Amino acid sequence: MVHEGQVFGVISVGGISRHYKYEKTMLGLIADLGCIAVFNNSLFSQVQEMANLDGLTKLFNKNSS
């Protein structure tokens, strides 16, 4: 799972005895959606940290919980 040149994870699929025509395409779509979810989670964490810390001093804001 790669987003903007940064690797976010790997999906491993095994145990499939029958390969369908569009299996590779479908797995690629699943990997893309999973990567977007992981990337959005990391952005949310960054925004949450920016909201809780003062930008200049890096000290916690008064109402951080």
Side-chain angles (χ1 to χ4, degrees):
M1 298 182 336
V2 179
H3 182 72
E4 296 180 355
Q6 185 176 2
V7 178
F8 282 94
V10 176
I11 295 178
S12 176
V13 179
I16 299 174
S17 59
R18 188 172 177 198
H19 297 283
Y20 296 98
K21 185 176 182 180
Y22 296 108
E23 179 180 354
K24 187 174 182 179
T25 303
M26 186 168 44
L27 290 173
L29 290 172
I30 291 169
D32 289 343
L33 289 173
C35 186
I36 290 169
V38 171
F39 182 71
N40 284 342
N41 185 40
S42 69
L43 285 178
F44 181 78
S45 297
Q46 288 175 6
V47 169
Q48 193 173 29
E49 183 177 331
M50 288 169 42
N52 290 334
L53 295 177
D54 180 69
L56 181 62
T57 63
K58 303 299 182 200
L59 295 174
F60 281 103
N61 292 327
K62 181 179 178 182
N63 294 329
S64 305
S65 19

